Amino acid sequence: MKRRASFVACLALLCALPAIVAAAQDPAAAAPEFDAKTLTRIRQHSPRPPPPADPTNRVADDPRAAAFGQRLFFETRWSKNGEISCATCHEPERAFTDGKQLGEGLGKLERHTPSVLDVAYNRWFFWDGRADTLWAQAPGPLENDAEMGATRVGAAALVAEDAALRAAYTELFGAPPDVADRTRFPRDAKPSATNASANAAWLGMREEDRDAIDVVLANLAKSFAAYQRKLVTGPAPFDRFVEGLVDGDTTKLAALSPSAQRGLALFVGKANCRLCHSGPNFSDGEFHALGLVPLAGPPPRDSGRHAGAKLVKEHPFNAASRFSDARDGDAALRLSTVRSAPEMWGEFKTPSLRNVARTAPYMHEGQFTTLEQVVRFYSTMEGALPVGHHQETILQPLGLTDVEIADLVEFLRTLDGTDPPEELRRPPGAR
Amino acid sequence: MKLSLFLAALGLVLTSCGAPRAQETRLKDVIEAGPAQRENASRAKEPHAQSDSEAPAPKPAPQAPPPAWLGARETRSGAGAYLVRWRTEPAEIPMNDEFSLRAWVFAADAPDVVLRDVELVIDAAMPDHGHGMARAPKFVKRDDGSIEAQGMLFHMPGRWELYFDVSKDELTERAQVHVELE
């Protein structure tokens, strides 16, 4: 009986031997060799330089403005219900996202909440790029009735009436205007295309009073930006790996598993993710249509960049506006060259892939809950809407194997950087 | 004086034998450009010859600066009527970073006279991707007859085609060149 069992075991081993040998020889089990071209492409993604300067914001790198902006970021009092701050949707413990498919403030939003980690590297802001600077982005969520529902007059009043906010503001920008007269400065006044009463109250104000309030709003926005510019993540395992490629340090090279290294080779090679997710921030900063089916079903109703290109030029706080500190600078030139064309319908901004494993769900409506779903979509393009007339034809099904999909996901997981310092991830003074 | 002539001649021989490619291109451009530019280029070499001389050099007559198109890249229009000279700033087109492009148009049979009575439109596209530039560059006309396209952007790696459409009297000719961005 014992001999028979041994015989069966040997037979089983013999039968399994080809599979074991095959597994040992399986290229999928090994790290890839990078040729010179691949190495050049890999090094285009790391190291990442410091964020670009923002000359349109004179307090962009003023630590006092950053501290003031941090206070504002966690401020709830100016929201319509007194409970919502920027941090409500950009939760520090969730990589400054909300983890939801679509954003939720006072109401349900139509797009997914992006992270504000590393936001200082962005060229355009919002999914449709309707703001051209980080500070020009800030008034939008503040006053949107579905987000915080604040008003710029109410915000100016809070700053004027709260001793700590007033002191911080005054140190940076001089004393805020006296808005005590509620008839002259109605707290519910703001320019709005959707809130008729707020808009009427705004238009009922004197022009010089509206201007004084706009100056306060621009200064608050620049302080928000000064804080958010500091929310930069530290090096990711991928960055350590690239350092290892340069200096040959095997400890650094171990930062990427063989699977992640194969994923990296795919990223810059066969899968060509680098076409759009280029450079150290893994984004070209521009806009593309992916053919994603909207959550509400086809046809797509969100025009994305098509409207964003128009809105950014009309934005009252853009780089060429009277509130900008560099009205003739590079950002203003960039703004003047923004192109608007019918084929931009449904294009959305290429998000950075840094910290991507921590910022699910994915896409502008949070259509995918996992990275594997995202990569599988690009592999098959199954369910994608047909490309419109004159629209770009970059995306073709990649035809990846299951192993390749797993390798790409494994690589993407190595792009998580270290969080900004803890003191930047909570309200000032909180423990 | 003899020594200086010898050194000048030696300098010319060395330039033609072992100079970097950019200088060779510039010399070639001068030859193609015509006698006026050849004269300018030879004048540009005079200070080198004089610097080796022990005798005090005669004060050179004031020179007109060389034309800005000297040494620029050249592209001929498809039907052969025009020569477009162009250069970018920075000199190498960057991947996904703004650059400016300055272009001069010449008649192919008079390549040293900038044409000022033609219209020039500069554009670019990635045919493999089915898209053009994400920007509409700002065109500025310069005093020397050139057109400067500001805010150009090649936002993706791969093959870009750069188009110079020259129009006159309702006829348009295209000069086209491709650029590979890695």
Side-chain angles (χ1 to χ4, degrees):
Chain A
M1 187 69 182
K2 205 172 177 181
R3 282 179 63 187
R4 190 172 172 184
S6 299
F7 172 73
V8 170
C10 285
L11 190 64
L13 187 65
L14 210 59
C15 291
L17 201 56
I20 293 167
V21 171
Q25 294 173 340
D26 183 2
E33 292 283 331
F34 299 125
D35 60 21
K37 186 177 181 180
T38 304
L39 283 171
T40 301
R41 290 179 170 185
I42 290 171
R43 291 187 62 183
Q44 289 174 342
H45 294 287
S46 185
R48 186 172 58 167
D54 180 7
T56 68
N57 178 0
R58 68 185 187 283
V59 298
D61 298 308
D62 186 327
R64 298 170 304 165
F68 182 43
Q70 183 174 356
R71 188 183 291 267
L72 301 178
F73 190 86
F74 292 93
E75 179 61 69
T76 60
R77 287 175 290 173
W78 47 25
S79 67
K80 192 166 187 176
N81 65 0
E83 296 175 1
I84 299 175
S85 73
C86 304
T88 303
C89 295
H90 300 286
E91 301 173 48
E93 60 275 20
R94 289 180 184 266
F96 288 86
T97 66
D98 57 7
K100 297 171 182 169
Q101 200 166 35
L102 297 174
E104 280 179 45
L106 289 168
K108 190 108 174 168
L109 301 174
E110 293 176 347
R111 293 178 187 157
H112 172 63
T113 305
S115 171
V116 294
L117 282 176
D118 298 322
V119 74
Y121 289 92
N122 286 5
R123 181 181 286 167
W124 308 107
F125 300 84
F126 297 113
W127 281 103
D128 57 9
R130 64 182 183 277
D132 62 341
T133 65
L134 184 50
W135 64 273
Q137 174 273 339
L142 191 72
E143 292 197 316
N144 186 334
D145 284 324
E147 295 184 58
M148 296 169 71
T151 69
R152 60 190 68 187
V153 178
L158 180 66
V159 169
E161 290 159 7
D162 180 279
L165 294 180
R166 182 184 179 88
Y169 182 95
T170 303
E171 188 182 353
L172 285 160
F173 308 109
D178 179 1
V179 294
D181 183 344
R182 286 173 175 259
T183 308
R184 197 172 140 197
F185 294 96
R187 300 299 189 253
D188 59 349
K190 62 182 173 185
S192 173
T194 54
N195 187 331
S197 64
N199 197 52
W202 175 253
L203 293 176
M205 290 170 59
R206 291 184 204 161
E207 189 176 345
E208 63 267 30
D209 290 345
R210 290 202 302 263
D211 188 60
I213 294 296
D214 279 346
V215 169
V216 175
L217 182 61
N219 288 336
L220 296 179
K222 288 173 182 176
S223 303
F224 272 116
Y227 164 60
Q228 290 176 78
R229 282 175 63 79
K230 294 172 83 77
L231 299 177
V232 175
T233 55
F238 165 70
D239 297 302
R240 283 194 290 282
F241 177 76
V242 175
E243 278 183 24
L245 288 176
V246 174
D247 64 20
D249 185 330
T250 52
T251 314
K252 294 174 181 170
L253 288 169
L256 258 62
S257 68
S259 170
Q261 291 184 45
R262 293 193 302 270
L264 170 58
L266 286 164
F267 189 92
V268 299
K270 174 183 171 182
N272 238 342
C273 312
R274 68 185 284 271
L275 284 182
C276 299
H277 293 283
S278 56
N281 207 36
F282 288 87
S283 169
D284 62 2
E286 296 296 325
F287 304 86
H288 303 277
L290 305 184
L292 290 167
V293 177
L295 292 178
R301 283 164 286 272
D302 190 338
S303 68
R305 184 59 172 167
H306 185 262
K310 183 170 175 281
L311 292 170
V312 71
K313 287 195 162 193
E314 297 170 351
H315 198 299
F317 296 98
N318 67 26
S321 74
R322 62 199 172 96
F323 303 102
S324 167
D325 296 315
R327 295 165 65 177
D328 299 319
D330 290 344
L333 171 63
R334 175 182 292 163
L335 179 71
S336 74
T337 63
V338 165
R339 201 171 139 260
S340 180
E343 65 267 24
M344 291 175 170
W345 182 275
E347 287 186 352
F348 293 91
K349 189 173 67 182
T350 309
S352 168
L353 295 180
R354 290 207 174 253
N355 315 302
V356 70
R358 294 194 286 156
T359 57
Y362 305 104
M363 307 303 185
H364 67 278
E365 288 187 350
Q367 283 99 328
F368 298 126
T369 54
T370 67
L371 283 173
E372 187 189 335
Q373 287 176 344
V374 176
V375 176
R376 206 168 278 285
F377 170 77
Y378 286 119
S379 179
T380 65
M381 299 296 293
E382 193 177 329
L385 298 169
V387 174
H389 194 49
H390 287 312
Q391 284 197 309
E392 61 187 25
T393 52
I394 300 170
L395 290 177
Q396 305 293 335
L398 296 172
L400 301 173
T401 66
D402 286 348
V403 171
E404 287 174 326
I405 289 171
D407 288 344
L408 259 174
V409 171
E410 189 71 10
F411 165 65
L412 293 172
R413 292 187 188 286
T414 70
L415 299 178
D416 278 0
T418 53
D419 266 327
E422 196 274 333
E423 63 268 22
L424 289 174
R425 291 184 277 125
R426 53 176 163 76
R431 294 286 166 194
Chain B
M1 191 63 183
K2 281 182 181 174
L3 178 64
S4 71
L5 281 173
F6 169 74
L7 288 174
L10 183 64
L12 277 175
V13 169
L14 287 175
T15 300
S16 61
C17 291
R21 179 177 288 270
Q23 287 185 22
E24 287 177 4
T25 307
R26 210 168 291 134
L27 194 61
K28 177 174 169 287
D29 292 338
V30 170
I31 292 165
E32 286 184 1
Q37 305 322 320
R38 281 203 292 276
E39 193 181 347
N40 273 342
S42 65
R43 281 176 189 153
K45 292 184 182 307
E46 284 174 7
H48 295 288
Q50 287 169 359
S51 67
D52 291 333
S53 171
E54 288 174 11
K59 200 172 181 181
Q63 306 287 328
W69 49 262
L70 201 63
R73 295 177 67 175
E74 297 181 352
T75 308
R76 287 184 188 276
S77 60
Y82 301 108
L83 174 71
V84 177
R85 290 196 172 95
W86 58 280
R87 65 168 84 249
T88 60
E89 174 56 42
E92 191 169 334
I93 294 177
M95 218 294 279
N96 197 23
D97 205 356
E98 282 100 351
F99 64 98
S100 65
L101 188 152
R102 195 169 167 191
W104 298 260
V105 181
F106 303 81
D109 56 0
D112 53 355
V113 179
V114 178
L115 293 180
R116 294 168 182 266
D117 60 345
V118 293
E119 185 192 353
L120 174 65
V121 173
I122 302 165
D123 200 1
M126 294 190 89
D128 295 345
H129 294 184
H131 66 73
M133 277 192 295
R135 301 282 193 279
K138 190 173 161 187
F139 293 103
V140 179
K141 196 155 194 166
R142 296 289 178 203
D143 289 343
D144 66 351
S146 63
I147 298 285
E148 184 174 342
Q150 299 176 342
M152 302 269 293
L153 179 74
F154 288 0
H155 62 287
M156 299 180 83
R159 182 188 172 98
W160 283 87
E161 288 183 352
L162 189 52
Y163 310 122
F164 302 94
D165 291 334
V166 185
S167 298
K168 187 182 179 187
D169 300 335
E170 298 180 354
L171 283 177
T172 299
E173 277 196 31
R174 170 168 285 190
Q176 179 176 325
V177 65
H178 75 266
V179 177
E180 289 285 344
L181 281 190
E182 179 58 37

